[in-house]
Amino acid sequence: INFTRAFGYKITDQAYLDDLTELTRLILKRAREKDWLPVIMYPSTEISNDSYLGPDFNRKLIQAIRKAGDVVCVSSVNRPRDVVSVNDLDIIMYNAAVPINEETVKAAHEAGCKLWFQNIGATRYNDGLFLLRTGAVGRRQWVMSWYSGDPYSDFDAGGYPDSSCFMFPSPEGTLPTVNLEWMREGVDDYRYFQTLKHCIERAEKEGKALDIAA
């Protein structure tokens, strides 16, 4: 749920934060009734893209949300200076404008913040081995089909690292573009290497050769 807009008062007013706490309490109550836990909240989906927001104000939103109870807070960041939000969030998503390097990856891990990537470009490497090498545990891509993109072209990036269309229409129904196939291949690579890593760890723990097929 995105709470970056005001409802009859300024978003910076204390009344907004108080109502955010109360609304979160109601959501948690409903979640317990429906067995929906854990509850994941977006204090801001993209900290850098809202004139009100930045790490300091996002921290206030997170504090207001957590007053209500046990909630997982996640935001994405678009500027290197907003990486500091790893100290407040449970999950941080580095967007395409944030350099993904040793420093930014280390910042997330040292803060105990789970690392996700967002809009980093749909390639087999980005959706596979790159996640494994950086210790990222999730990946988010926005959007499935961009309104100004040509669904029949895999090269009309329109400012993005690659095409923003991942499906295209055909007489036989909706079909995946090359970009979406790259993503699928990357996911397969990730699963294969995670399986191999798990088998190696088991073998080392047991001190003997391990049959991977087992």
Side-chain angles (χ1 to χ4, degrees), residues 24-209:
T24 306
R25 286 198 182 102
L26 294 174
I27 292 171
L28 286 171
K29 180 176 181 294
R30 183 66 169 172
R32 286 190 291 269
E33 293 171 353
K34 295 292 185 179
D35 196 26
W36 287 346
L37 291 175
V39 172
I40 300 175
M41 304 281 274
Y42 289 77
S44 173
T45 55
E46 294 187 342
I47 294 172
S48 315
N49 287 355
D50 195 303
S51 59
Y52 285 110
L53 293 172
D56 291 339
F57 188 72
N58 202 53
R59 183 177 301 117
K60 291 182 180 180
L61 295 177
I62 293 169
Q63 290 171 347
I65 288 171
R66 287 184 170 153
K67 280 183 181 178
D70 187 15
V71 177
V72 176
C73 290
V74 53
S75 294
S76 64
V77 296
N78 298 348
R79 296 179 297 191
R81 70 184 187 185
D82 293 341
V83 170
V84 67
S85 295
V86 295
N87 296 309
D88 303 303
L89 294 163
D90 299 298
I91 301 170
I92 194 165
M93 296 186 287
Y94 289 165
N95 214 330
V98 176
I100 301 172
N101 52 35
E102 184 176 355
E103 181 181 354
T104 55
V105 170
K106 184 179 178 181
H109 292 321
E110 287 187 345
C113 185
K114 291 183 180 179
L115 179 60
W116 280 48
F117 295 143
Q118 176 171 318
N119 301 332
I120 58 172
T123 70
R124 182 170 185 168
Y125 177 71
N126 282 352
D127 290 285
L129 289 179
F130 189 49
L131 273 72
L132 191 64
R133 287 173 62 88
T134 57
V137 296
R139 165 82 158 85
R140 184 186 187 203
Q141 182 68 33
W142 188 91
V143 58
M144 180 58 71
S145 290
W146 186 239
Y147 67 91
S148 63
D150 180 356
Y152 295 99
S153 171
D154 292 309
F155 306 102
D156 64 327
Y160 284 84
D162 46 53
S163 174
S164 293
C165 291
F166 293 90
M167 306 290 287
F168 66 87
S170 81
E172 298 179 1
T174 304
L175 299 176
T177 64
V178 170
N179 299 81
L180 192 59
E181 284 298 310
W182 283 339
M183 294 177 78
R184 179 192 58 76
E185 290 175 345
V187 171
D188 286 344
D189 290 343
Y190 185 90
R191 293 174 64 192
Y192 291 142
F193 278 95
Q194 278 285 45
T195 300
L196 177 60
K197 182 178 177 226
H198 175 69
C199 289
I200 292 173
E201 290 173 349
R202 280 181 56 194
E204 290 177 342
K205 183 178 179 180
E206 296 176 11
K208 61 182 181 180

